[in-house]
Structure formats: structure tokens, C-alpha cells
Amino acid sequence: MDDIQRFLAHAIQLEKESARRYEELAEAMQSLGSMEVAEFFRQMAHYSRLHLKEAMQRGGFHDLPTLAADAYDWPEGTSPEAAAWAGVDGFMDVPGALALALDGEQRSCDYYRTIAADAEDPEVRSMAEAFAEEEAEHVAQLESWRSGLAKG
Ligand code: ZN
């Protein structure tokens, strides 16, 4: 991944999916009556959209870039977000939702880290590093929510 526009198109797709998943999770938590967790997921959706905007500005995109489906190059064939959600269906409780969100963030973080490690283009490398760091913060936030639950 040594083309900054291409890298950003991937990041944009990832963040778009992430925002949508968080909104779905927020809805699900709200319907369970877990308003605090729902609010947290809404915040995370908000950050994903900010991140998406930032990536669009950096890439100079005015519209969402659309690569043909086969022009995306994901490690698992689908974006890390979609991979985290594969096989999820039906009822989700609070621990399940947090575990799922954590899995998505972890995969996204690993994805950016791998790109940063492999990229020869310094711009791609530094941007992927910055994005990996943001994802690592999200991982930490989710972990602290999970340990809060464990303590009751
Ligand atoms: Zn994230």
C-alpha cells in the first residue's frame, strides 16, 4: 500500500463502516435500556465520522472515493470492521456488544499497524501510524468499559 490516495480510500471505507456499526450497536443498547452504553457507542460513531472527514480532507476528496470492490486490498478479503461482524446475528447483550466493538477496533488497529510496517512511502507510513494510534486509544476505551462492567 504505497499510494496515499489509495490508502486513504481504505481508511475512509473502514471508518464509514465503523460509524455505521456503532450506530447499530447504539440502537441495540438503547432498546435494551442501556442508555449509558448507547451514548458511549454514539460518541464512538461520532469519532469515526470525524476520522472519516479528516481522511477525506487529507486526501483532498470532496466526495467519498469509490474504488471498485475488487480494487480494495483487505487482509481478510473484507475490511477489518466487516470481518469483526462476520457471523453476528440476532440478540446482543451489553458484554456481547462491547466485545464485538473491541474486536473491530483491534482488527482496525492491526490493519493500520501492518500497513505502517510494510509501507515504503513515508507519507503512507506516518499516516497509518497515526491512525493505528487512534485505534489503539479506542481499544483502550472499550477495554475500560469492559472492565467497568466486570466490576459491576
Ligand atoms: Zn476506531
Side-chain angles (χ1 to χ4, degrees):
M1 186 78 63
D2 274 307
D3 178 301
I4 190 74
Q5 298 292 320
R6 221 172 142 249
F7 167 65
L8 287 169
H10 281 73
I12 286 164
Q13 178 68 23
L14 207 168
E15 297 301 331
K16 194 174 81 176
E17 285 179 15
S18 169
R20 207 183 57 218
R21 309 291 189 186
Y22 273 122
E23 270 150 19
E24 283 175 28
L25 286 177
E27 293 283 307
M29 294 305 100
Q30 188 160 350
S31 66
L32 288 180
S34 303
M35 298 309 173
E36 245 186 306
V37 185
E39 186 48 40
F40 167 62
F41 284 146
R42 286 213 176 85
Q43 254 175 43
M44 296 301 277
H46 172 71
Y47 288 127
S48 288
R49 279 192 303 266
L50 285 183
H51 204 178
L52 166 75
K53 250 191 225 163
E54 189 192 315
M56 287 194 47
Q57 279 165 0
R58 299 261 202 144
F61 297 114
H62 297 287
D63 302 301
L64 286 178
T66 38
L67 299 184
D70 63 2
Y72 286 100
D73 178 18
W74 301 113
E76 295 172 273
T78 56
S79 81
E81 274 293 330
W85 280 67
V88 171
D89 64 317
F91 177 77
M92 193 159 346
D93 58 8
V94 172
L98 288 170
L100 187 59
L102 181 60
D103 187 32
E105 296 290 357
Q106 190 69 67
R107 283 170 193 258
S108 302
C109 186
D110 292 347
Y111 170 69
Y112 288 132
R113 281 212 174 118
T114 303
I115 290 190
D118 294 347
E120 276 164 35
D121 181 292
E123 203 184 355
V124 171
R125 194 167 53 223
S126 75
M127 214 170 279
E129 271 165 12
F131 286 8
E133 245 164 72
E134 282 189 47
E135 298 308 327
E137 275 171 38
H138 297 164
V139 168
Q141 276 175 287
L142 281 155
E143 274 169 351
S144 81
W145 271 82
R146 285 227 302 185
S147 59
L149 273 192
K151 285 183 204 115

